[in-house]
Amino acid sequence: WLGLKKIYSITSQGNYILRIELQDWRGNRRHIEYTFSLGGPSSSYSLQLSRMAGSIPNALPEHTELRFSTADRAAHTARDSSCPENHPGGWWHSECEKTNLNGNYVTPRSRGRLDRGKGLYWKPKKGRYYLLKSTKIMIHPTDLKSFD
């Protein structure tokens, strides 16, 4: 993890695209790309997103200021103020149990069943939970053609 201070320092120099790559436990790979802005420390590294493209439904609110929270430093923007305490790992929580790509690394229970609220997961507003084996979050300047 590069860290929010360094990511903020990089992205404050220009316009960037955020790409999230996800792999589930069956080996399926998906991605989603956003234009985004990241605020600094005074805004709890608030994140604003606008979806561009992807092969998975969106699970993060767009055009909304999402504040980064951890169990010991809750930003109190989630509807459920206990969200960071109940879902391990720092994340831009907006609604608990929707998405967490910084959770604990857990394997599915028997028959691939999901322990909701644990592990790495992606949950579109309408759709199923994706329990994830791996995630990758990348940025690149908007003037580059692609991530390839």
Side-chain angles (χ1 to χ4, degrees), residues 2-136:
L2 187 58
L4 292 169
K5 287 180 186 176
K6 290 179 182 173
I7 294 171
Y8 172 70
S9 177
I10 293 168
T11 60
S12 64
Q13 297 175 32
N15 296 320
Y16 283 77
I17 293 172
L18 174 74
R19 180 181 173 106
I20 299 173
E21 293 184 354
L22 312 171
Q23 180 181 4
D24 66 21
W25 286 92
R26 294 185 176 120
N28 299 313
R29 294 178 185 269
R30 310 236 189 242
H31 74 277
I32 192 164
E33 292 181 1
Y34 300 94
T35 57
F36 78 104
S37 65
L38 181 67
S42 63
S43 71
S44 298
Y45 296 98
S46 62
L47 180 67
Q48 291 190 343
L49 301 166
S50 181
R51 184 177 194 266
M52 292 177 49
S55 59
I56 194 167
N58 188 18
L60 297 171
E62 294 183 77
H63 312 293
T64 301
E65 187 175 277
L66 304 172
R67 294 179 182 265
F68 193 83
S69 298
T70 61
D72 64 337
R73 184 178 263 172
H76 300 296
T77 58
R79 289 183 189 163
D80 178 355
S81 62
S82 66
C83 187
E85 292 87 359
N86 294 332
H87 301 279
W91 190 248
W92 291 273
H93 294 287
S94 64
E95 296 176 26
C96 286
E97 285 201 289
K98 296 298 180 192
T99 295
N100 189 355
L101 303 185
N102 271 343
N104 294 330
Y105 189 78
V106 296
T107 57
R109 296 183 309 189
S110 62
R111 292 179 287 180
R113 299 180 66 102
L114 170 64
D115 281 328
R116 289 190 181 154
K118 296 182 180 170
L120 308 175
Y121 54 92
W122 184 265
K123 169 66 172 79
K125 204 164 199 134
K126 292 181 181 179
R128 67 178 185 87
Y129 276 84
Y130 293 88
L131 182 60
L132 302 169
K133 182 177 182 180
S134 68
T135 65
K136 191 185 299 185

